[in-house]
Amino acid sequence: MYAVIETCGKQYKVSEGDKIRFEKLNAEEGAEVVFDKVLLLGKDDGATVGAPYVEGAKVTGKVVENGRDKKVIVFKYRRKKNYRKFRGHRQYFTTVEISAIA
């Protein structure tokens, strides 16, 4: 069984036992998170597609880790103009282990 959920402005395909890395969620480590924006539920006998969401469906998970990703370097450069901008960015993330799809 699998589901397609929408969170943080993106869509993710998840199944039970998966560890998915989302953008930062406002939840402590060990807390339970419920995703109620389920776009599709897939089973062995077929799939249920929502319009836009499947009613009564939800995906629950447990927050495993909160942290920051590796640094992404942003470097802007214009040749012959003595223009250089160097900037780094570290994105916050939350790792969630999917426990149940209902």
Side-chain angles (χ1 to χ4, degrees), residues 19-33 61-70 90-98:
K19 288 187 179 180
I20 307 292
R21 182 179 276 194
F22 298 108
E23 290 183 13
K24 185 166 181 358
L25 301 174
N26 292 327
E28 299 287 326
E29 289 185 22
E32 188 157 308
V33 182
K62 181 182 171 188
V63 175
V64 177
E65 175 187 16
N66 286 321
R68 293 181 79 183
D69 218 346
K70 292 182 179 178
R90 291 182 70 192
Q91 183 68 37
Y92 288 95
F93 69 87
T94 300
T95 304
V96 176
E97 183 175 1
I98 305 300

Side-chain angles (χ1 to χ4, degrees), residues 42-47:
K43 299 177 184 173
D44 295 335
D45 58 341

Side-chain angles (χ1 to χ4, degrees), residues 10-25:
K10 298 176 184 169
Q11 297 175 3
Y12 298 91
K13 180 183 175 188
V14 298
S15 57
E16 290 185 21
D18 287 351
K19 288 187 179 180
I20 307 292
R21 182 179 276 194
F22 298 108
E23 290 183 13
K24 185 166 181 358
L25 301 174

Side-chain angles (χ1 to χ4, degrees), residues 24-64:
K24 185 166 181 358
L25 301 174
N26 292 327
E28 299 287 326
E29 289 185 22
E32 188 157 308
V33 182
V34 177
F35 302 103
D36 55 351
K37 294 183 176 181
V38 179
L39 300 169
L40 182 133
L41 271 177
K43 299 177 184 173
D44 295 335
D45 58 341
T48 306
V49 180
Y53 304 116
V54 179
E55 288 189 29
K58 66 179 180 177
V59 176
T60 58
K62 181 182 171 188
V63 175
V64 177

